[in-house]
Amino acid sequence: MLATDPLIGELRDLITQEIGLHGPLIPQMLFAEKMRALIPKGHPVLGLTSLDEIGDYVARTQLVPIDADRQNPVPGDGDPQTRIVVIGEAPGAREDQMGRPFVGRAGQLLNKMLAAIDLDRQNVFVTNILKTRPPGNRDPSPEEIAAHIPILYQQLALIRPLLILCLGRHAGRGLLQSDLPLKGMRGSAHDFYGVPLFVTYHPAALLRNTRWKRPAWEDLQMFQRCYQALNRAT
């Protein structure tokens, strides 16, 4: 068992207490309010009431220069009623072609990673910090993340997940507003406005360096234990 297991127990106990006091929907409603509070006032995404509307908004809107050069926007896909949201960094070439996240080799590995902890890709929602592929698959710039992240906040507000898994340092930094390296964000459950958030290696990184598969598996096991604890609590 990892050293962070007591924190998972604390999260479970907190959620159980909140449910006992207010009912199962109140913590999720509060999370949605907190997400919307992160979006600048007057931003168009605040008026969007479904994931489909967000997809339409992404498709017709250019927020940063790279949006003008994409083949297709990649807003995300999956189960809108899910308890779990998986967040990567940015689309790649294959995703840009198809308009869906994680459909290349990294996507195949992500499917296997989820299956290893008894999750089906179809039963989670998968998206990225950026909805557009950066040229040459370079890292997202701070300006691009700042422009696109309100879309993600509204997606999270609508889904109201109980658990978030971030893949890669840019996803973790973007959500946690941190400048820590990946190793500084791994290995623990972060409290993201009342929702447990975990950070692990991006599948593309695991394809490049197999030595990271062992620590990534430890992260996934921790994530699974938290999900199982939350299921018992709710």
Side-chain angles (χ1 to χ4, degrees):
M1 303 293 282
L2 298 180
T4 50
D5 278 352
L7 177 55
I8 293 175
E10 292 174 10
L11 290 167
R12 180 195 59 210
D13 294 343
L14 178 60
I15 290 175
T16 301
Q17 181 181 4
E18 288 294 317
I19 290 172
L21 290 173
H22 305 296
L25 294 179
I26 295 300
Q28 290 173 280
M29 292 173 62
L30 292 175
F31 173 78
E33 290 178 5
K34 292 173 182 177
M35 288 299 97
R36 293 190 180 99
L38 295 173
I39 301 171
K41 292 182 179 179
H43 197 292
V45 297
L46 287 167
L48 305 179
T49 59
S50 73
L51 295 177
D52 287 340
E53 289 184 12
I54 290 178
D56 291 341
Y57 169 79
V58 173
R60 67 175 186 267
T61 306
Q62 295 180 9
L63 296 170
V64 285
I66 61 171
D67 293 338
D69 298 325
R70 64 194 176 200
Q71 292 187 54
N72 291 289
V74 187
D77 66 7
D79 183 0
Q81 305 299 321
T82 186
R83 291 181 163 196
I84 295 175
V85 172
V86 178
I87 302 170
E89 298 179 332
R94 185 66 172 159
E95 289 77 16
D96 184 48
Q97 291 174 353
M98 299 187 65
R100 296 183 56 230
F102 287 93
V103 292
R105 291 181 62 218
Q108 295 172 9
L109 180 54
L110 173 61
N111 295 345
K112 293 178 181 179
M113 291 166 66
L114 294 173
I117 55 173
D118 301 320
L119 291 174
D120 190 319
R121 165 77 179 261
Q122 295 181 350
N123 296 330
V124 304
F125 189 82
V126 181
T127 187
N128 287 295
I129 289 280
L130 289 195
K131 312 307 184 185
T132 296
R133 179 198 181 201
N137 291 347
R138 63 162 170 75
D139 290 343
S141 73
E143 294 78 15
E144 290 162 352
I145 291 175
H148 277 220
I149 204 167
I151 301 168
L152 177 60
Y153 290 149
Q154 184 68 352
Q155 288 176 315
L156 293 174
L158 292 173
I159 296 171
R160 299 187 296 190
L162 293 182
L163 202 56
I164 296 172
L165 177 63
C166 287
L167 305 173
R169 71 182 188 278
H170 292 293
R173 286 176 171 180
L175 268 292
L176 296 174
Q177 295 295 295
S178 169
D179 59 359
L180 287 172
L182 181 62
K183 66 180 181 180
M185 293 181 285
R186 286 188 52 253
S188 63
H190 301 271
D191 182 355
F192 180 66
Y193 299 94
V195 170
L197 182 152
F198 293 81
V199 184
T200 192
Y201 294 93
H202 194 284
L206 299 179
L207 291 172
R208 294 193 300 268
N209 191 333
T210 58
R211 291 180 300 174
W212 292 334
K213 288 188 175 181
R214 176 65 178 270
W217 173 235
E218 293 174 352
D219 294 337
L220 290 174
Q221 288 178 303
M222 190 189 317
F223 183 86
Q224 182 183 38
R225 287 196 295 273
C226 186
Y227 181 57
Q228 291 170 340
L230 291 176
N231 274 340
R232 288 193 295 269
T234 56

